Amino acid sequence: MTDPDDNAPLPADLRFLKALVTALAGVMMLGLLAIVWLLVTRLGVEPPLPVLPDTVILPAGARPAAVTFASDWLVVVTETGEILLYDRAGGEPQSRTPAP
């Protein structure tokens, strides 16, 4: 036997709650898709390396592996691990520290 209340319409506040839950589920799915899309498109690309200014004079045979910019100085780490400290304007290294 069926209960006559099974076919009764939902009260207005429950219909509103049902619509809110449905909208929230849709927004959450769109957000998840956006996060997955961003991860797929951004993680597959290597970030560009900073460009070494033309005013920096590297020692003979040295190739930069990393460059760090600060407010008043510049640090270049060579592929051999030597750390070169430059003035922000460039030129010759102010300090050279061999790899430990």
Side-chain angles (χ1 to χ4, degrees), residues 56-91:
V56 172
I57 301 170
L58 290 173
R63 294 183 53 194
V67 179
T68 301
F69 296 92
S71 60
D72 56 348
W73 47 267
L74 170 73
V75 176
V76 176
V77 179
T78 64
E79 288 180 343
T80 60
E82 186 177 24
I83 301 167
L84 307 172
L85 180 66
Y86 290 90
D87 186 55
R88 184 71 173 172

Side-chain angles (χ1 to χ4, degrees), residues 8-87:
L10 292 174
D13 50 345
L14 282 180
R15 280 183 288 165
F16 178 68
L17 183 61
K18 184 179 176 181
L20 283 178
V21 169
T22 303
L24 176 62
V27 168
M28 286 175 43
M29 283 187 257
L30 289 175
L32 183 63
L33 286 174
I35 290 171
V36 169
W37 179 77
L38 285 172
L39 287 174
V40 168
T41 58
R42 303 276 171 109
L43 289 181
V45 178
E46 288 198 28
L49 295 175
V51 178
L52 192 62
D54 293 334
T55 58
V56 172
I57 301 170
L58 290 173
R63 294 183 53 194
V67 179
T68 301
F69 296 92
S71 60
D72 56 348
W73 47 267
L74 170 73
V75 176
V76 176
V77 179
T78 64
E79 288 180 343
T80 60
E82 186 177 24
I83 301 167
L84 307 172
L85 180 66
Y86 290 90
D87 186 55

